[in-house]
């Protein structure tokens, strides 16, 4: 009944309205029917939208709702008294559910995956250790060669991050025509990317339909693309230590298959050496993939069947099957930067990182 009332009041509004965009992901606005079975892919889209849409507020506790006034004490107002009554009226306060509130979590209570990776690398360097290389040996890794191992074009090193963000944006939105989507994205992309970035992005996206992942990922609903998460500190815990910060991250795509969930992560790279791509991928991205595993386990109460790194434009795929030993090592690495109390870890400035 409440949902039907929302739909009725929503008629005539455009889908740009934040609440309608949220509803449209889960319900058919024409019929009111759910777009997916409960529990099949029912992640918290409030988490997904919390940073993008400030108009949506999440309440941690149920708001107090006052009982309506007793109808026996109300009376019909004669038309002659209406004007005087309106002039003397005192506006009632907004209900609690309509009021804004301050997020309980400060920046010191959150830690991004990219920032955590930097902290772990720095800590290992200080200790003179190279534990990241062990991740490739602890997981089961296979490499699927793509149709082309190199790119015909390159971008300057300073533009690599811009290229990654542009390709990711198109793959988040695209169906079966990524090049058409790229042209639409470029219209509003600021600052305008260089010609070299656009040329390599076109090459990446022109080859993307050749990937065996292109067709199934094109069918994914919007809430399984660019999935934001908040992960409680997954390292070892004890009564002597305070809880760590929440870890924030974004998974490029979550693909439900008959064998289980597949976590997909896109990477842009001009060239790859197939003989070393597995070890180098896990050394560079293993911690990130391990955190994605733990985030999915928290959400779906099960680990993914596998993780896939997909390199563009070569379409080389690195398939990673997480093992208990691999995840134990991820937790061990995270605990290297754990502090003895809350709000004492460095957060650093917000920055764009290579994807």
């Amino acid at each position: 009944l409440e949902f039907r009332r929302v739909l009725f009041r929503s008629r005539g509004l455009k889908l740009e309205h934040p609440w309608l965009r949220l509803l449209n992901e889960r319900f058919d606005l024409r019929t009111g029917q759910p777009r997916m079975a409960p529990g099949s892919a029912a992640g918290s889209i409030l988490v997904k939208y919390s940073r993008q849409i400030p108009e949506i507020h999440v309440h941690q506790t149920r708001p107090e709702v006052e009982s309506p006034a007793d109808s026996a004490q109300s009376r019909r107002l004669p038309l002659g008294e209406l004007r005087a009554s309106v002039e003397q009226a005192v506006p009632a306060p907004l209900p609690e559910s309509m009021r804004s509130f301050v997020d309980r979590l400060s920046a010191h209570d959150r830690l991004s995956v990219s920032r955590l990776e930097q902290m772990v690398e720095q800590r290992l360097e200080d200790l003179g250790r190279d534990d990241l290389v062990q991740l490739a040996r602890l997981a089961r890794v296979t490499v699927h060669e793509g149709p082309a191992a190199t790119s015909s074009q390159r971008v300057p090193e300073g533009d690599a991050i811009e290229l990654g963000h542009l390709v990711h944006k198109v793959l988040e939105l695209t169906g079966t025509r990524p090049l058409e989507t790229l042209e639409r994205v470029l219209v509003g992309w600021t600052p305008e990317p260089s010609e070299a970035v656009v040329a390599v992005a076109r090459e990446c996206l022109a080859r993307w339909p050749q990937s065996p992942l292109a067709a199934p990922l094109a069918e994914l609903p919007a809430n399984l693309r660019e999935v934001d998460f908040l992960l409680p500190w997954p390292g070892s815990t004890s009564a002597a230590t305070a809880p760590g910060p929440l870890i924030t991250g974004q998974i490029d795509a979550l693909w439900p298959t008959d064998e289980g969930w597949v976590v997909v992560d896109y990477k842009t790279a001009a060239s790859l050496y197939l003989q070393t791509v597995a070890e180098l991928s896990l050394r560079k991205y293993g911690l990130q993939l391990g955190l994605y595993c733990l985030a999915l386990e928290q959400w779906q109460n099960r680990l993914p069947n596998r993780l896939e790194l997909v390199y563009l434009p070569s379409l080389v795929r690195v398939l990673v099957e997480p093992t208990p030993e691999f995840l134990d090592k991820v937790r061990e690495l995270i605990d290297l930067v754990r502090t003895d109390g809350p709000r004492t870890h460095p957060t650093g400035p917000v920055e764009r990182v290579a994807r």
Side-chain angles (χ1 to χ4, degrees):
L1 176 60
E2 289 300 321
F3 178 64
R4 292 178 183 273
R5 187 175 301 169
V6 169
L7 286 181
F8 178 78
R9 292 177 178 175
S10 300
R11 290 180 181 177
L13 294 177
K14 296 181 179 180
L15 277 182
E16 284 78 7
H17 191 279
W19 277 110
L20 285 188
R21 290 209 305 272
L22 190 153
L23 286 172
N24 189 52
E25 282 197 11
R26 290 305 177 88
F27 300 94
D28 187 333
L29 297 186
R30 297 169 300 175
T31 65
Q33 296 299 314
R35 291 190 184 275
M36 59 190 73
S40 61
S44 174
I45 49 180
L46 287 178
V47 171
K48 173 179 178 180
Y49 280 96
S50 62
R51 291 179 292 173
Q52 303 175 30
I53 306 179
E55 295 93 329
I56 295 178
H57 303 297
V58 183
H59 288 269
Q60 307 294 336
T61 58
R62 185 172 182 175
E64 294 291 336
V65 180
E66 297 181 0
S67 301
D70 189 350
S71 59
Q73 299 177 358
S74 61
R75 65 182 182 88
R76 289 183 176 274
L77 190 68
L79 187 59
E81 301 178 16
L82 178 60
R83 181 170 181 174
S85 178
V86 170
E87 291 175 345
Q88 299 173 11
V90 177
L94 290 173
E96 186 67 27
S97 59
M98 295 288 290
R99 300 177 189 173
S100 299
F101 62 94
V102 178
D103 193 341
R104 296 188 309 171
L105 298 176
S106 70
H108 292 280
D109 294 312
R110 293 190 180 102
L111 194 61
S112 70
V113 169
S114 58
R115 179 60 181 153
L116 182 55
E117 288 177 311
Q118 295 170 4
M119 293 169 62
V120 170
E121 290 176 4
Q122 183 61 54
R123 181 61 175 156
L124 289 173
E125 182 179 341
D126 294 341
L127 295 173
R129 292 165 50 179
D130 192 15
D131 291 29
L132 293 174
V133 74
Q134 300 177 26
L135 293 175
R137 297 195 293 267
L138 295 174
R140 287 186 281 271
V141 185
T142 55
V143 177
H144 288 198
E145 183 176 353
T150 61
S151 170
S152 60
Q153 305 181 70
R154 294 176 181 269
V155 298
E157 185 176 350
D159 289 337
I161 293 177
E162 188 74 15
L163 172 65
H165 282 274
L166 182 58
V167 170
H168 273 75
K169 184 62 178 178
V170 173
L171 292 178
E172 175 190 359
L173 299 173
T174 192
T176 57
R177 299 178 178 177
L179 287 177
E180 293 182 11
T181 305
L182 173 63
E183 298 308 317
R184 294 197 301 271
V185 168
L186 287 173
V187 171
W189 195 266
T190 54
E192 184 177 352
S194 67
E195 293 182 2
V197 168
V198 174
V200 177
R202 286 198 177 104
E203 183 180 17
C204 292
L205 297 168
R207 294 182 182 178
W208 173 243
Q210 302 174 42
S211 171
L213 297 182
L217 295 187
E219 302 298 324
L220 287 182
N223 65 307
L224 294 183
R225 305 181 189 194
E226 300 294 320
V227 182
D228 288 330
F229 64 82
L230 288 173
L231 174 66
W233 191 265
S236 61
T237 58
S238 68
T241 59
L246 290 174
I247 299 172
T248 68
Q250 188 177 76
I251 298 173
D252 290 343
L254 284 174
W255 176 24
T257 69
D258 293 339
E259 294 78 24
W261 288 96
V262 177
V263 174
V264 180
D265 196 61
Y266 310 117
K267 302 296 180 186
T268 51
S271 61
L272 296 171
Y273 296 99
L274 294 177
Q275 296 80 2
T276 59
V277 66
E279 181 176 338
L280 293 179
S281 295
L282 268 292
R283 190 182 190 286
K284 189 172 183 180
Y285 305 118
L287 184 60
Q288 173 187 345
L289 295 178
L291 291 170
Y292 289 172
C293 281
L294 299 174
L296 182 66
E297 181 183 37
Q298 179 209 18
W299 179 21
Q300 294 289 328
N301 200 30
R302 60 184 299 186
L303 291 168
N305 176 263
R306 68 181 185 274
L307 307 105
E308 291 205 21
L309 286 172
V310 186
Y311 287 94
L312 289 95
S314 66
L315 302 183
V316 169
R317 296 158 56 207
V318 178
L319 280 59
V320 181
E321 183 180 345
T323 63
E325 295 78 12
F326 172 80
L327 295 176
D328 286 344
K329 188 62 180 180
V330 168
R331 294 186 181 94
E332 177 188 331
L333 290 171
I334 293 171
D335 270 342
L336 289 176
V337 297
R338 184 183 179 84
T339 58
D340 294 331
R343 306 191 181 201
T344 58
H345 59 275
T347 56
V350 176
E351 57 183 336
R352 299 185 77 183
V353 295
R355 304 191 68 173

